[in-house]
Amino acid sequence: MKEKIIQSAINLFITLGFKSVTMDDIASEIGISKKTIYTHFNNKTALVKATTVHLFESISAGIDKICSLDCDPIDELYRIKRFVMIALKDEQSSPQHQLQKYYPEIANVMQAKKFDVMAECTLNNLKKGIEQGLYRADIDINFVSRIYFVGINGIKDDTLFPIQEFPKVKVHEDYLEYHLRGIVTPEGLKTLNKFIKTNQ
């Protein structure tokens, strides 16, 4: 039952946002009493923490699986982007923004975990790209991996990129292209152009 509560809460939180979803909404979605939820979670904050950890671990496992496929680094980044967007349902409710606003302590812990995972993944991607001649050999991979992380988080800020003006899917597409254009070699640009055409 605890797993079922977490899964239902994740779906509702991602779709409607952390603020607007109540414990009653979650209980109604599953078809149980609110009291049953409280036997597993003391309050909504505890449930939010459990759902964010579960979602983070699920996404991290999915990213690890993509990285283990050993595809070319540009393909890898596009696969990761698609996987994360599907997992977060294109982030229409801006879950990260709401988490930071209403549950800052949880958000800060998750941000640190996310950085650790993304830093390792991005550094490996950059090294592989350089080795394969798709990324420029003169880039500072530590700087690029961090600036990529900053950008990924920045484009999720609704005050900077309101959804009405900047649809999430397009913003992620544009940012990934922006990131790659700054680091690819002429050979890498040929590969990148194939993905740009495929995604148009």
Side-chain angles (χ1 to χ4, degrees):
M1 180 54 72
K2 187 174 184 179
E3 181 70 18
K4 192 173 182 180
I5 294 168
I6 288 174
Q7 285 295 347
S8 294
I10 286 173
N11 290 333
L12 287 171
F13 287 149
I14 289 176
T15 305
L16 303 172
F18 288 101
K19 172 103 168 75
S20 57
V21 175
T22 66
M23 298 296 250
D24 284 313
D25 293 330
I26 297 164
S28 176
E29 179 75 12
I30 306 169
I32 59 174
S33 69
K34 188 164 64 172
K35 186 178 178 182
T36 303
I37 297 178
Y38 284 117
T39 61
H40 297 282
F41 303 98
N42 292 333
N43 49 45
K44 185 179 174 183
T45 301
L47 179 56
V48 167
K49 184 177 180 180
T51 56
T52 53
V53 168
H54 187 282
L55 186 59
F56 169 80
E57 289 175 349
S58 174
I59 290 174
S60 296
I63 291 173
D64 287 344
K65 188 174 180 180
I66 292 169
C67 292
S68 72
L69 297 175
D70 202 30
C71 35
D72 85 57
I74 294 174
D75 184 13
E76 182 177 273
L77 288 182
Y78 272 92
R79 285 173 185 247
I80 289 171
K81 178 192 66 66
R82 281 194 299 268
F83 168 73
V84 173
M85 293 301 288
I86 290 168
L88 297 178
K89 299 184 178 181
D90 297 342
E91 301 184 293
Q92 292 306 313
S93 67
S94 303
Q96 179 178 286
H97 179 69
Q98 288 198 15
L99 189 67
Q100 186 66 58
K101 186 173 181 180
Y102 300 107
Y103 301 93
E105 287 185 13
I106 296 173
N108 291 337
V109 170
M110 297 313 298
Q111 185 79 333
K113 287 176 177 283
K114 189 170 150 189
F115 174 75
D116 289 340
V117 169
M118 265 196 75
E120 182 181 0
C121 175
T122 307
L123 282 170
N124 289 337
N125 181 274
L126 291 167
K127 289 173 186 174
K128 187 162 62 170
I130 291 169
E131 287 167 7
Q132 294 181 14
L134 297 173
Y135 299 161
R136 296 186 349 252
D138 62 343
I139 61 174
D140 181 338
I141 61 172
N142 288 313
F143 171 77
V144 172
S145 68
R146 287 169 184 266
I147 207 73
Y148 183 61
F149 179 79
V150 169
I152 284 290
N153 283 289
I155 61 176
K156 294 178 180 181
D157 186 338
D158 285 352
T159 58
L160 293 173
F161 298 96
I163 292 176
Q164 300 81 0
E165 193 177 346
F166 299 94
K168 294 295 182 186
V169 174
K170 187 172 188 314
V171 169
H172 279 268
E173 287 283 348
D174 290 348
Y175 181 67
L176 182 54
E177 179 184 339
Y178 174 83
H179 164 70
L180 287 167
R181 281 191 182 278
I183 62 174
V184 291
T185 60
E187 189 59 35
L189 185 58
K190 292 177 188 175
T191 303
L192 175 58
N193 283 333
K194 291 177 189 174
F195 283 96
I196 293 170
K197 287 176 184 175
T198 302
N199 284 277
Q200 282 178 342

